Amino acid sequence: MNQRAVATVNLAAIRHNLAQVRRYAPNSCVMGAVKADAYGHGAVPVARTLEAAGIDALAVACMQEAQQLREAHIRAPIALLEGILSAEEATLAAYEGLQIVVNDFWQIELLERMPQGATLQVWFKLDSGMHRLGFPLSAVPKLRQVLQRNRSWRFCGWMTHLARADEPEVSATVEQIEAFDITLAGIAGARSIANSAGLLAWQQARRDWVRPGLMLYGASPLPGKTGRALGLRPALTLTSRLIAIREYPAGSAIGYGASYRCPETMKIGVAAVGYADGIPRSLASGAPVQVAGRPATIAGRVSMDMITLDLRAAPQARIGDEVVLWGEHAPAEIVAEHAGTLAYELFCGLTNRVQFEYVDPAA
Ligand SMILES: *Cc1c(COP(=O)(O)O)cnc(C)c1O
């Protein structure tokens, strides 16, 4: 009751979401994305949960994130999605047994300069249309020569990433998949195409490996669909407490810049959470929250340590009542829309002032 901003992470929900991934892609191995501190959920507890549930591999962005998991004794295969950035990282990747997602020839040069005998595990990432990382498709013959002259490398497979998988009506995804398939026709090696949106919306993207991130945390990457509608359970619930309730007459201006004016005499509540905790300042008046289980809305600007709330729909609210910002019954996707952003950014934006609590009701 004394904590002001609390993120409660339900590890059973993460296990449930992994089971849903397996239901969507029953013939695929699962590489779960736990980069960015497991999308703000806590890399080590999430990775432990996924490992115990038998996930096939984990994926992180960079060496620092991989080392954090190895230091916590996570033994599952871990892929470095941006590959290695230096000779030191190449050595560390071999030592820690990491899978390196190689996306450029300069990284191959670093790897080929490693002392003989180091066991390197490599994916090759191809650019099938995203135009961010990856080899052009025309590089595939050269990449096959690289594999031929480095027989000690363990080749994990061919990877690509979809740019518009969350838009079921556009043809870009089909074009990317076709280009990837045509380029690799008859060539050996596992294939991996789909992130969460790819594996949810495009059956033909569910290949040897799927790489879900967001959906493991229970949020939907597909516009107009919540995680719940897709059979997922939001894993993180962000709560705060009411620390003030005041009644103001019609016309009163609330907060910085007087961006909200009370349309009638009404109660305004103050919750002890703000942009320094990770509530986007762009979250506009009218965005939904819950106060003691009743709907309420943001009224006025988000400030550093507090938000102000229209309590007209929660007339019984009292000091100390719980305020839910997003979570199990308040989809982060919907809150994100009110802030002009995505659930991804809400999750990653939580700061270290938020107190994290882990629950595992099913364990
Ligand atoms: C982050 C990431 C994923 C996971 O994406 P989601 O949209 O969170 O499912 C998959 N593949 C790559 C290469 C990534 O960088």
Side-chain angles (χ1 to χ4, degrees):
M1 165 71 218
N2 43 13
Q3 309 94 336
R4 47 185 299 287
V6 179
T8 306
V9 179
N10 181 344
L11 297 171
I14 290 176
R15 272 198 301 277
H16 166 87
N17 296 331
L18 174 60
Q20 288 300 93
V21 169
R22 294 214 164 104
R23 210 157 296 155
Y24 279 102
N27 303 314
S28 304
C29 290
V30 182
M31 176 186 285
V34 294
K35 62 195 180 191
D37 200 26
Y39 293 43
H41 290 59
V44 169
V46 168
R48 279 203 184 116
T49 301
L50 292 171
E51 181 173 51
I55 198 157
D56 303 287
L58 300 166
V60 296
C62 59
M63 181 58 71
Q64 188 191 357
E65 293 177 341
Q67 283 182 301
Q68 185 195 6
L69 296 180
R70 286 291 188 244
E71 276 159 24
H73 307 292
I74 304 291
R75 290 286 142 239
I78 300 175
L80 285 173
L81 290 173
E82 291 175 7
I84 42 104
L85 304 182
S86 64
E88 292 72 34
E89 285 197 358
T91 308
L92 273 172
Y95 176 75
E96 300 283 16
L98 306 177
Q99 299 180 358
I100 304 166
V101 181
V102 181
N103 61 71
D104 205 333
F105 282 108
W106 67 263
Q107 294 180 316
I108 288 181
E109 279 170 34
L110 284 180
L111 296 175
E112 290 195 317
R113 273 191 251 126
M114 295 269 297
Q116 287 297 312
T119 310
L120 291 173
Q121 305 176 59
V122 299
W123 287 89
F124 284 149
K125 178 153 176 179
L126 301 180
D127 176 12
S128 59
M130 170 92 176
H131 297 160
R132 188 179 59 179
L133 281 187
F135 295 95
L137 298 174
S138 58
V140 166
K142 267 198 193 135
L143 293 172
R144 297 180 74 195
Q145 287 166 14
V146 169
L147 291 178
Q148 265 155 22
R149 64 176 184 259
N150 294 285
R151 298 279 183 176
S152 67
W153 294 6
R154 192 172 83 66
F155 183 53
C156 302
W158 304 94
M159 189 181 284
T160 196
H161 197 51
L162 300 172
R164 303 185 69 180
D166 55 343
E167 299 171 88
E169 67 291 350
V170 304
S171 62
T173 297
V174 173
E175 286 158 20
Q176 278 196 266
I177 295 173
E178 277 177 9
F180 183 74
D181 284 345
I182 289 167
T183 305
L184 293 175
I187 295 175
R191 315 285 204 255
S192 178
I193 299 178
N195 60 358
S196 298
L199 86 90
L200 287 165
W202 304 90
Q203 192 171 353
Q204 67 271 46
R206 301 168 193 159
R207 298 299 171 86
D208 303 293
W209 286 86
V210 291
R211 308 188 307 271
L214 190 72
M215 68 182 287
L216 290 174
Y217 308 100
S220 161
L222 304 177
K225 285 214 171 95
T226 61
R228 185 165 294 273
L230 296 166
L232 305 171
R233 283 181 61 191
L236 185 151
T237 302
L238 181 66
T239 56
S240 179
R241 300 273 169 189
L242 280 185
I243 59 168
I245 299 174
R246 303 266 190 278
E247 192 167 78
Y248 297 106
S252 300
I254 305 300
Y256 286 120
S259 72
Y260 183 84
R261 284 192 189 267
C262 298
E264 58 186 314
T265 298
M266 61 188 277
K267 281 186 182 160
I268 293 286
V270 179
V273 65
Y275 61 75
D277 302 283
I279 309 299
R281 192 171 166 283
S282 54
L283 200 58
S285 287
V289 301
Q290 285 169 13
V291 175
R294 308 290 291 275
T297 54
I298 301 236
R301 294 247 166 90
V302 171
S303 48
M304 185 183 286
D305 313 310
M306 286 170 266
I307 53 174
T308 38
L309 304 173
D310 171 355
L311 293 181
R312 281 178 292 174
Q316 314 303 330
R318 290 160 170 259
I319 302 290
D321 276 355
E322 187 178 74
V323 178
V324 177
L325 283 307
W326 57 79
E328 176 109 47
H329 303 290
E333 304 88 301
I334 298 200
V335 178
E337 257 173 56
H338 284 268
T341 184
L342 301 171
Y344 292 90
E345 200 179 357
L346 291 189
F347 292 164
C348 295
L350 295 181
T351 70
N352 62 9
R353 196 164 74 178
V354 176
Q355 179 174 329
F356 273 73
E357 290 176 358
Y358 292 89
V359 297
D360 197 346

